[in-house]
Amino acid sequence: SGVGALAARFDVVVSVTPSAAPRMTMTNMTDPTRTGYLVDDIWRLDLKGATPGAPVFLHLWRNNVDLGISGPYGQITDTAGSWSMTGSYGSGDVGSWQLQAVVGAAGSSETSSSIGARIAVN
């Protein structure tokens, strides 16, 4: 323009602010001081901050091979969005694992960050 005015365009998207992603942790119940896992160790998965009343699926990788998403596992998340599951490792589980919670449905975008676990022979 003759007076030095500038034109601008603003695209405003109105939506909800996404909540924090669910947080998953894994605890070695056999020896909580040990960072790795051995065959026959008992483990517990805990998920917090997920959608309440939702089923939980697990996305699994073993030795960097994507095994896909399976489940649902255990009970649905409680009214606070918490969930837990326990189990143990067998000799067929030796290797490096990554786990990620998938909340609501197998194809859901509500996921936790992945956690790793290395399982070794006693």
Side-chain angles (χ1 to χ4, degrees):
S1 92
V3 295
L6 300 175
R9 176 180 164 177
F10 295 93
D11 292 323
V12 178
V13 178
V14 180
S15 68
V16 296
T17 303
S19 62
R23 296 165 312 287
M24 188 166 62
T25 58
M26 181 179 238
T27 304
N28 185 332
M29 302 303 289
T30 304
D31 183 355
T33 63
R34 192 171 347 111
T35 56
Y37 297 86
L38 299 174
V39 170
D40 296 327
D41 276 352
I42 298 169
W43 49 263
R44 184 180 76 222
L45 285 176
D46 290 297
L47 182 67
K48 303 227 183 279
T51 297
V56 177
F57 297 77
L58 294 175
H59 191 166
L60 302 169
W61 295 262
R62 182 178 184 191
N63 299 325
N64 294 317
V65 174
D66 187 344
L67 301 176
I69 298 172
S70 61
Y73 290 97
Q75 300 294 319
I76 61 173
T77 57
D78 65 18
T79 57
S82 297
W83 170 91
S84 66
M85 184 175 90
T86 59
S88 64
Y89 292 114
S91 60
D93 298 321
V94 171
S96 294
W97 291 82
Q98 284 183 286
L99 302 89
Q100 180 182 46
V102 180
V103 181
S108 174
S109 62
E110 183 179 353
T111 60
S112 69
S113 57
S114 63
I115 58 173
R118 178 175 285 285
I119 296 89
V121 178
N122 297 340

